[in-house]
Amino acid sequence: MQPYSHAIFGNRRLLLASASPRRRELLGLIGIDVVTVPLQNIDESYPSVLSPAEVPEYISRKKAAAYTHPLAPEEILVTADTVVINNGSVLGKPADEFEAARMLALLSGHAHSVVTGVTLVTSSGSISFSDTTHVEFADLSEEEIAYYINNYHPLDKAGAYGIQEWIGYIGVKGICGDYYNVMGLPLRKLYEHIRALD
């Protein structure tokens, strides 16, 4: 009897163009072989005419375009970008601890949206999609914000937090949508799109 993952995905193999260990871990959870491939010096700027919710999908397409190696028929290139949207403003990765503290203070006691854009590329074409999750934070004290930043160093995370870390355990009051999307990949929607590929 074939392993379950092979029965579901055939001989598909994902090439993950991301340095994020969380995205690699998440892809591994759905039972498909994952290989990490590097991308160099990606320009993550975007046109000002885009709405905040359109930004991550746009950047995921830029990342995909930067991968110029030919793909084998069984390979799927995956690129992704995640942003936090608070009061209509995009919060990306903080530049330093001070900006991280500022971001968390903005999120404290309020609801915000997390949007992840994903692009899948095969030897025959590409598709892009995005998913949105709404997250509500409890009030965070300055002491709690400082503790989290000093102990978890969230400078590589959009909005300066990881929901799977301490700040998520004590700070998240509610969530509507895909939890894994907040971590960096909308797993259910990604799974559906991979299964639909020719």
Side-chain angles (χ1 to χ4, degrees):
M1 182 177 177
Q2 285 186 316
Y4 177 75
S5 62
H6 290 179
I8 291 293
F9 294 110
N11 65 342
R12 291 289 195 181
R13 185 172 69 142
L14 294 186
L15 305 182
L16 175 62
S18 172
S20 168
R22 290 172 300 281
R23 289 196 177 115
R24 182 182 175 89
E25 177 186 358
L26 288 172
L27 285 173
L29 294 176
I30 63 172
I32 189 168
D33 292 334
V34 182
V35 176
T36 302
V37 295
L39 291 179
Q40 302 294 330
N41 302 319
I42 302 301
D43 174 16
E44 297 191 12
S45 63
Y46 52 87
S48 60
V49 296
L50 292 182
S51 70
E54 293 174 313
V55 169
E57 190 173 322
Y58 176 86
I59 295 176
S60 78
R61 289 195 297 267
K62 289 183 76 171
K63 291 177 178 179
Y67 187 81
T68 57
H69 300 285
L71 295 172
E74 73 277 7
E75 293 178 329
I76 306 169
L77 178 71
V78 181
T79 60
D81 189 72
T82 301
V83 300
V84 169
I85 301 174
N86 183 64
N87 288 329
S89 297
V90 172
L91 302 182
K93 298 173 184 176
D96 53 35
E97 288 81 1
F98 296 103
E99 187 173 14
R102 181 186 67 81
M103 287 183 179
L104 289 171
L106 289 173
L107 300 178
S108 172
H110 298 94
H112 62 274
S113 299
V114 180
V115 183
T116 298
V118 179
T119 295
L120 303 178
V121 184
T122 68
S123 58
S124 59
S126 67
I127 58 170
S128 297
F129 60 92
S130 61
D131 199 22
T132 301
T133 304
H134 303 286
V135 181
E136 182 182 3
F137 262 113
D139 291 321
L140 302 172
S141 68
E142 290 185 6
E143 180 185 23
E144 289 167 337
I145 290 173
Y147 174 85
Y148 174 64
I149 292 171
N150 290 335
N151 287 277
Y152 291 87
H153 314 289
L155 301 187
D156 63 336
K157 298 175 177 65
Y161 81 93
I163 195 169
Q164 74 279 13
E165 295 177 340
W166 182 82
I167 199 76
Y169 307 149
I170 65 97
V172 173
K173 288 179 64 176
I175 180 170
C176 181
D178 188 335
Y179 171 86
Y180 301 104
N181 187 52
V182 186
M183 289 180 64
L185 281 174
L187 284 186
R188 176 63 203 180
K189 188 173 282 191
L190 177 63
Y191 172 80
E192 291 172 346
H193 280 285
I194 293 173
R195 289 295 305 275
L197 290 173
D198 293 333

